[in-house]
Amino acid sequence: MELRHLRYFLAVADEGGFTRAAARLHVSQPGISAQIAQLERELGAVLFDRSARAVRLTEAGEVVRRHARQVLAAERGLRAAVDELNALVRGSLVVGMIMACTVEPFFAALAAFHRAHPGVALRLVEDDSDRLAARVREGTIDLALIGAVRRAPADLAAREVVNEPLAVAVPPEHPLAAGDSVTLDALLAHPLLCLPHGTGIRASLDAACAEHGLVPAVAMEANAPGAVLHLAVRGLGAAVLSASMVEGVPGLRALRLDGTAVRGVLALVTRHAPAAPALAALLAHCDDAFGTGPGTAGGPPRARRAPGAHASA
């Protein structure tokens, strides 16, 4: 058994199929299928149920997945320890970001890090905030930019880069457009447009409604804030996003959302374990780009909006 067998196995398990796993790893589908078959022969167990359209883990596969993550995390830890001893910055980093992200300082940090350390391979993963946070906990992602309600998850080390209120955007002819603000009760009388579950903005909206015993009726969802705003411009509902996302959008009026203290947060999160040299260097570039410093997710939230911080939080 080789480490690549475990990497291929986890890719198939995470992607739910051999074709998507092969694309993710940039290998041929027959190649990855052969590696999985070899792993199954060595372990003497079938790891995937291939009878359905979506490949599913068998009971043995679930056991292997748990241990495979631990083995690969230990391998990364071993490499990091040697790198730290030798004061080297090399290897690879897996970086996660929220879907449809356009947070310019984040991209600037990645570019600056790449220029300073071209020997470190960067792999970028897009997903919703909940899954990104879960993969940081598992150790399959080194650093992720996620959205959260009020503050980042307490079990992760965090650098908060954005903290701002929810806001509403409506076209000029919308009944709510006459004022500069809207209460939550008044807003919920109209069709809502929002990001999907698993994003920080949606979680913030749900939390604000829960505080008042209300349930939001979201008429349409889109993964990208820009798509939500396009729907609002066309009169399909009131867009609920963060304040920076709705400011200065042509064809829409931005309204304050009154009556709730719930705020949307963007944060860079890692595990609490000491950072390997490559990750520490990337975090330093993030601090330069965002003007942040090390913090803890359990600390007090800081009001901040980063330049260009329009993202699917």
Side-chain angles (χ1 to χ4, degrees):
M1 183 189 308
E2 298 182 17
L3 291 175
R4 74 169 182 275
H5 293 143
L6 299 182
R7 293 192 181 94
Y8 288 1
F9 165 79
L10 286 178
V12 176
D14 291 343
E15 298 295 336
F18 288 84
T19 300
R20 290 192 296 273
R24 167 174 152 182
L25 295 172
H26 305 291
V27 298
S28 68
Q29 182 177 338
I32 200 169
S33 297
Q35 295 293 331
I36 297 300
Q38 182 178 342
L39 179 61
E40 289 177 322
R41 286 194 299 271
E42 290 191 21
L43 294 176
V46 176
L47 304 181
F48 292 102
D49 179 358
R50 301 165 171 83
S51 61
R53 176 177 297 180
V55 174
R56 297 181 182 276
L57 286 169
T58 62
E59 185 175 355
E62 291 286 358
V63 173
V64 172
R65 177 164 63 174
R66 183 170 64 252
H67 288 281
R69 293 200 192 283
Q70 294 172 353
V71 169
L72 293 178
E75 184 239 357
R76 286 193 298 273
L78 174 61
R79 291 184 180 275
V82 174
D83 286 351
E84 186 172 6
L85 180 65
N86 294 328
L88 296 175
V89 179
R90 61 177 177 79
S92 63
L93 290 173
V94 181
V95 179
M97 70 178 185
I98 45 183
M99 295 178 294
C101 174
T102 58
V103 181
E104 294 173 9
F106 186 56
F107 300 140
L110 295 178
F113 173 82
H114 178 67
R115 288 192 298 270
H117 306 288
V120 179
L122 287 174
R123 186 164 74 85
L124 199 59
V125 176
E126 271 193 306
D127 212 329
D128 70 39
S129 296
D130 290 345
R131 286 194 287 267
L132 289 174
R135 291 189 62 180
V136 171
R137 293 185 186 98
E138 293 171 352
T140 57
I141 287 180
D142 299 293
L143 168 72
L145 178 68
I146 68 167
V149 182
R150 297 186 179 92
R151 62 188 61 186
D155 60 336
L156 296 175
R159 284 160 164 81
E160 184 182 294
V161 296
V162 176
N163 185 322
E164 61 183 17
L166 297 180
V168 178
V170 294
E173 64 274 12
H174 194 280
L176 298 176
D180 294 324
S181 64
V182 59
T183 64
L184 196 57
D185 282 338
L187 174 65
L188 295 189
H190 300 273
L192 303 185
L193 309 170
C194 195
L195 301 171
H197 289 291
T199 60
I201 293 296
R202 181 58 178 273
S204 296
L205 172 62
D206 291 342
C209 292
E211 284 186 345
H212 298 271
L214 303 171
V215 178
V218 177
M220 293 185 181
E221 298 176 348
N223 286 328
V228 173
L229 294 170
H230 280 300
L231 294 171
V233 168
R234 287 156 179 78
L236 293 171
V240 182
L241 295 167
S242 67
S244 66
M245 295 176 186
V246 303
E247 291 177 358
V249 179
L252 293 175
R253 277 185 52 81
L255 311 176
R256 296 190 314 275
L257 182 57
D258 291 341
T260 177
V262 173
R263 299 172 68 88
V265 170
L266 285 180
L268 294 164
V269 296
T270 64
R271 290 184 295 172
H272 281 290
L279 179 55
L282 177 55
L283 287 169
H285 283 286
C286 289
D287 288 339
D288 289 342
F290 284 106
T292 58
T296 60
R302 294 160 288 177
R304 178 181 291 115
R305 195 185 87 196
H310 302 276
S312 176

